[in-house]
Amino acid sequence: MKDTSLKDTRILSRLLSAALFCIGFSALAAPDRASIGQALDLRDHWLPLTRDLMLAPTWTEDGDAFHYKLSVDGGFYFFRQSLRDSAPQLAFDHNKLASGLSAVTGQSYQARDLPFEQFQYADRGEAITFYLHNARWQCQLHTADCRDITAPRQSSAFGVVRDLKQDADDSPVWSPDGRYQAQVRGHNLLLLDAEGRLLFQTDDGDGSNFYDPQSIRWAPDSSALVLVRVQPGTARYVTRVLSAPEDQLEPKVIQQLYPKPGDAVDVDQPVLVQLQHKTAIDIPNALFANPYRIDQMAWQQDSSAFTFRYTERGHQRMRIIRVDAKNAEATALVTEDSPTFVNLWAAFHQPLQLGEQGVVWLSERDGWAHLYRTDRSGKQLQQLTRGHWRVRQVLAIDETAGQIWFTASGYYPQQDPYYEHLFRIDLDGDNLTALTERNAHHDVVLSPDRQHFIVRYSRVDLPYVAELRQSSDGALLRTLAQADISQLTAAGFRPPQPFVAKGRDGATDIWGLIVKPQNFDPDKTYPVIENIYAGPHDSFVPKSFWPFGFHSGGDKVIGMQALADLGFIVVQIDGMGTANRSKAFHDVAWQDLVDSGFPDRILWHQAAAETFPWYSIEGGIGIYGASAGGQSTVAALLFHPDFYRVGVAYAGCFDNRMDKISWNEQWLGYPVGPQYAASSVVEQAHLLQGQLLIINGEQDSNVDPASTMQLVDALIRAEKDFDLLIVPGGEHSVGRSSGPIRYVQRRQFDFFLRHLQQQTTPDWNRAQ
């Protein structure tokens, strides 16, 4: 046979791939119970095989010591170190704490598998506090007495509508000097002295216009306080039926306060109460006349003023407002306007206390996320950072030293633009100093006194290294931990492969990851499945070493490997419309969530197929995703049927008018208009081609489960065939215990094997 060029080889490879697709990728071994079971058990098999991997460290309040969770034989332990002593010590008696926590919760916890990743010392080191299942707990270390110490507070649905069925905490709020107490009774504010004698009260509060006791904020010098008076919004409740409760035979009805796009929100009116004059003054609302939310209310340390953040309905305007404590005059320190959206998911501001006071805040006004500063009059002083890179997190502002500590990504052009690095800059914008520079992603925890920092750096192909460094110049003081993955590698682990291709504009780099089977054979071709999440609130392709379930998202990551091991190439991509790049990159999502970055994703897949002969997209690819990813999965089958042909959609917000108010108004705007219907896959369900499996938890509290059933109804009316799995009691994560989660994942695996590989899967109902 004569020699062929590389191009000819690829053409022949594609022809062979297409032929294999027609006969169901017959070169791939048919799966059996054992191989599918092995994939389902991958997390449990791999989790114990990493040593000395440090999870997020925590500094003590004095900054002299720190503690962290570290992988050891059989699980994890918490260790403690000090700046002076490099020898790590166990942070507490793990057996005792596991026993105490198990006794009070009724759950079985083991010493090497405690259910939290971080804690704080309390009671002078005699106790620890941590969060477990959205509650705050405290355990005494010597007695292992554990209790829930969550402070009672009236909940607020998505931060914009208070739950008036739940009583607010109306206990007195004492002034800093201990001379006065403020309390709300019968919807009005009462001001009392230390003995409980009435000094002043309001008389304009009632059920439709009430004072919120949880909003009371005293001035540091006790001369005044501020709180809000509330006009309540729409009390929309979603009703769900728990069909198979664990404690009784009959179903239960569950209601959840759940405002949706377009609903009326609580309108908060800030009120200044001056003790000297015993007056309550409404702050004139000309600068905040159309609120979506008023929050982050805080006093200046000298009690001269207070500030709050105002987000206008529609998310196209945000203001930081300063109110003078003497005359109640309001000034806009910052006004952020955007023709698309002001991204409140990445917002930051901090009022300054010294000198000209004013505020430091994060803005995308020049097309990238950068830091700016104003004085107390609202006059812009200067842009502090600039360039084609973005500030990601502000870790600290030290006004005495005149310095800001922050992380940023995209600073080094030769690196992945999502890698975060640590920087310091002066408050006047001078002396930008990079304190990390390795070609890796950096997680940084700064000490309270800003003299030291702990950095954990990694890549998907570089296990975590944790170091203690000096803040002044970044000098290395001590290597704290270096993850050992030798056992993991021996068990078959291979890192995923980053891949970059140009997006729809032909110029912008689109980044993604390729996950291959552990038994990958470069001479074979593999069908491709995309794990999609295109929510505009973040970026999602992993940049640090794969967590394998160590923290949120880990199970999804290892699920990609488990699926790949059944004979697939599994990928994840950050297309345009996701966050953490330029403002223009992000704006693609504005009022067009159904776009989901598909023009970029398809080009990325095509570039990968051009590059790798084993990457087969002939005949279409598979796709799966949850929540917004579920919506994108269905959109792929509806609007790109020639490319995406098999999809598994979990817990989708299939029509954004049915989903929560906060996320959807941020990206689709207000008022609710035709842009909402245009992004609805329910409206276009009749366009379905290919194979679709819909999976939803019956008790999803994040996305109204009725959204799924409305899609089902539309598909039935259009006489479309599809598969549906409803998990009784399942939450947004679908399963409520290990059994359903395993079952749900197996159903996904089966679906792709049957429809993308044309394989016959095991008869799971047949007795073994």
Side-chain angles (χ1 to χ4, degrees):
M1 182 176 179
K2 66 180 182 178
D3 293 336
T4 59
S5 68
L6 178 59
K7 180 178 180 180
D8 292 336
T9 302
R10 287 176 177 162
I11 293 173
L12 289 172
S13 175
R14 287 196 194 90
L15 291 173
L16 176 60
S17 176
L20 286 174
F21 179 82
C22 293
I23 60 175
F25 288 92
S26 59
L28 300 173
D32 54 19
R33 286 176 180 260
S35 60
I36 294 176
Q38 186 175 3
L40 292 169
D41 292 336
L42 185 63
R43 179 186 182 277
D44 292 339
H45 177 57
W46 273 2
L47 186 61
L49 301 182
T50 301
R51 300 290 181 272
D52 296 327
L53 190 153
M54 180 193 288
L55 300 187
T58 303
W59 287 91
T60 55
E61 290 185 4
D62 58 14
D64 288 335
F66 50 89
H67 50 269
Y68 49 87
K69 196 173 187 179
L70 190 76
S71 60
V72 297
D73 287 339
F76 296 86
Y77 273 148
F78 285 95
F79 291 90
R80 176 185 172 104
Q81 288 191 39
S82 70
L83 293 176
R84 296 174 299 279
D85 185 0
S86 63
Q89 305 290 329
L90 284 176
F92 48 78
D93 186 328
H94 289 65
N95 285 301
K96 182 180 290 186
L97 192 109
S99 177
L101 194 58
S102 298
V104 73
T105 63
Q107 302 290 321
S108 178
Y109 296 114
Q110 304 300 316
R112 286 180 170 84
D113 191 25
L114 292 173
F116 53 92
E117 293 183 3
Q118 292 180 289
F119 71 85
Q120 295 280 357
Y121 282 106
D123 293 348
R124 299 181 180 180
E126 298 296 314
I128 64 170
T129 62
F130 54 88
Y131 284 92
L132 174 63
H133 303 316
N134 298 317
R136 189 164 181 255
W137 285 77
Q138 179 168 304
C139 292
Q140 298 299 128
L141 296 181
H142 295 296
T143 63
D145 175 34
C146 297
R147 59 192 178 94
D148 184 342
I149 60 169
T150 306
R153 290 187 64 84
Q154 184 182 56
S155 63
S156 179
F158 307 117
V160 294
V161 177
R162 292 165 177 81
D163 188 353
L164 301 184
K165 290 185 178 181
Q166 178 184 355
D167 292 335
D169 181 9
D170 59 0
S171 55
V173 180
W174 287 85
S175 61
D177 63 8
R179 298 175 59 194
Y180 308 104
Q181 46 185 321
Q183 188 175 19
V184 172
R185 297 179 193 167
H187 307 302
N188 276 291
L189 173 72
L190 280 66
L191 185 64
L192 310 127
D193 65 15
E195 286 72 37
R197 292 185 292 266
L198 180 65
L199 302 176
F200 169 77
Q201 76 175 71
T202 62
D203 59 8
D204 55 348
D206 56 37
S208 62
N209 194 22
F210 59 87
Y211 288 86
D212 179 5
Q214 294 180 173
S215 69
I216 297 171
R217 302 288 183 272
W218 279 98
D221 67 358
S222 303
S223 65
L225 64 87
V226 63
L227 78 167
V228 297
R229 194 174 61 251
V230 183
Q231 295 179 24
T234 300
R236 179 194 294 275
Y237 285 87
V238 165
T239 301
R240 302 188 299 270
V241 176
L242 180 59
S243 57
E246 296 180 350
D247 59 345
Q248 67 183 46
L249 178 63
E250 292 297 320
K252 294 181 179 180
V253 175
I254 296 174
Q255 286 195 319
Q256 177 188 356
L257 184 63
Y258 193 101
K260 296 184 178 183
D263 285 352
V265 299
D266 289 355
V267 176
D268 292 359
Q269 168 62 57
V271 179
L272 173 65
V273 179
Q274 298 172 326
L275 269 68
Q276 180 180 358
H277 305 295
K278 295 184 174 59
T279 56
I281 307 170
D282 285 6
I283 308 305
N285 71 346
L287 293 173
F288 51 95
N290 183 24
Y292 171 78
R293 182 187 300 169
I294 288 175
D295 61 2
Q296 299 188 25
M297 194 169 289
W299 282 91
Q300 293 294 118
Q301 291 177 4
D302 63 5
S303 301
S304 63
F306 63 89
T307 59
F308 60 88
R309 183 177 69 173
Y310 160 70
T311 302
E312 190 163 286
R313 196 76 188 263
H315 290 78
Q316 293 180 292
R317 171 171 291 166
M318 181 276 291
R319 284 192 171 118
I320 307 302
I321 294 174
R322 174 190 173 99
V323 179
D324 190 287
K326 292 183 179 179
N327 58 24
E329 181 180 336
T331 302
L333 298 182
V334 172
T335 298
E336 282 292 317
D337 289 319
S338 172
T340 57
F341 54 80
V342 177
N343 181 12
L344 271 297
W345 289 76
F348 167 83
H349 82 274
Q350 181 170 319
L352 299 176
Q353 306 297 329
L354 304 179
E356 290 297 320
Q357 295 188 346
V359 64
V360 170
W361 86 100
L362 190 67
S363 171
E364 291 184 290
R365 59 182 58 195
D366 78 344
W368 297 84
H370 282 296
L371 294 172
Y372 295 77
R373 178 185 176 186
T374 71
D375 61 13
R376 75 177 70 193
S377 70
K379 177 183 176 181
Q380 179 178 319
L381 294 181
Q382 65 186 121
Q383 181 175 351
L384 303 180
T385 61
R386 65 180 68 244
H388 287 184
W389 47 277
R390 65 180 294 117
V391 173
R392 295 286 292 273
Q393 301 179 72
V394 176
L395 303 182
I397 297 179
D398 187 335
E399 291 190 58
T400 302
Q403 295 174 327
I404 306 174
W405 304 79
F406 64 94
T407 65
S409 57
Y411 181 80
Y412 298 106
Q414 70 276 18
Q415 295 187 15
D416 184 320
Y418 295 92
Y419 287 166
E420 287 190 59
H421 287 272
L422 177 64
F423 296 84
R424 184 181 63 237
I425 195 169
D426 291 350
L427 262 172
D428 60 6
D430 289 340
N431 298 319
L432 177 66
T433 303
L435 293 168
T436 60
E437 60 182 18
R438 294 184 187 86
N439 185 20
H441 182 77
H442 295 73
D443 295 306
V444 178
V445 182
L446 195 63
S447 67
D449 60 7
R450 294 167 293 283
Q451 298 302 305
H452 303 88
F453 66 90
I454 297 171
V455 58
R456 298 183 307 137
Y457 65 88
S458 72
R459 298 187 304 267
V460 293
D461 61 346
L462 174 67
Y464 279 106
V465 177
E467 298 174 338
L468 174 65
R469 289 186 170 267
Q470 185 171 278
S471 295
S472 58
D473 56 4
L476 176 66
L477 299 179
R478 188 188 310 164
T479 298
L480 301 175
Q482 186 164 352
D484 178 357
I485 63 167
S486 56
Q487 293 184 56
L488 189 64
T489 302
F493 167 75
R494 300 294 180 270
Q497 179 176 345
F499 183 73
V500 185
K502 297 300 180 184
R504 68 187 76 182
D505 60 2
T508 303
D509 284 339
I510 304 297
W511 288 73
L513 281 181
I514 297 174
V515 182
K516 305 172 188 174
Q518 292 184 68
N519 62 352
F520 173 74
D521 184 344
D523 294 326
K524 292 182 179 179
T525 58
Y526 294 86
V528 176
I529 298 173
E530 180 180 347
N531 172 14
I532 188 168
Y533 196 92
H537 57 279
D538 208 344
S539 54
F540 306 98
V541 174
K543 299 301 172 184
S544 53
F545 189 72
W546 280 29
F548 300 124
F550 295 155
H551 56 69
S552 177
D555 288 332
K556 296 176 184 178
V557 171
I558 201 168
M560 293 172 64
Q561 183 65 64
L563 183 56
D565 286 348
L566 297 176
F568 298 102
I569 297 296
V570 184
V571 306
Q572 191 170 14
I573 309 162
D574 280 322
M576 290 187 184
T578 52
N580 298 325
R581 299 285 288 277
S582 69
K583 175 66 170 164
F585 189 103
H586 201 186
D587 276 350
V588 169
W590 172 240
Q591 296 193 343
D592 192 13
L593 292 179
V594 77
D595 176 276
S596 296
F598 282 123
D600 313 301
R601 297 170 187 276
I602 292 171
L603 289 171
W604 191 95
H605 286 292
Q606 291 170 340
E610 285 283 342
T611 305
F612 308 115
W614 38 263
Y615 194 101
S616 176
I617 60 174
E618 301 294 337
I621 71 172
I623 186 169
Y624 72 96
S627 194
Q631 179 183 21
S632 296
T633 294
V634 177
L637 300 183
L638 299 186
F639 305 118
H640 306 279
D642 293 336
F643 197 84
Y644 294 96
R645 58 179 299 271
V646 182
V648 179
Y650 288 87
C653 44
F654 299 116
D655 189 312
N656 301 96
R657 295 167 293 188
M658 289 289 293
D659 194 22
K660 68 194 75 66
I661 187 173
S662 53
W663 194 86
N664 295 277
E665 285 196 10
Q666 167 74 86
W667 314 116
L668 287 172
Y670 175 85
V672 174
Q675 73 274 21
Y676 280 79
S679 285
S680 168
V681 296
V682 177
E683 296 274 350
Q684 305 296 327
H686 62 279
L687 297 178
L688 177 66
Q689 298 184 46
Q691 304 297 322
L692 173 63
L693 168 60
I694 303 170
I695 302 175
N696 203 52
E698 174 194 63
Q699 295 302 312
D700 191 335
S701 62
N702 187 304
V703 175
D704 185 350
S707 182
T708 289
M709 300 314 295
Q710 289 179 0
L711 174 61
V712 167
D713 177 66
L715 291 169
I716 291 173
R717 290 175 183 273
E719 297 193 1
K720 295 294 182 177
D721 289 344
F722 60 96
D723 287 54
L724 174 66
L725 172 61
I726 300 296
V727 180
E731 246 288 358
H732 193 57
S733 58
V734 178
R736 64 181 176 188
S737 64
S738 58
I741 290 175
R742 180 185 174 89
Y743 175 82
V744 166
Q745 190 174 36
R746 194 259 291 167
R747 289 288 300 271
Q748 174 187 312
F749 289 178
D750 276 16
F751 197 77
F752 282 126
L753 287 166
R754 284 187 282 111
H755 294 293
L756 203 57
Q757 281 191 12
Q758 308 299 313
Q759 297 281 13
T760 300
T761 57
D763 180 357
W764 296 96
N765 292 344
R766 181 177 56 83
Q768 298 188 52

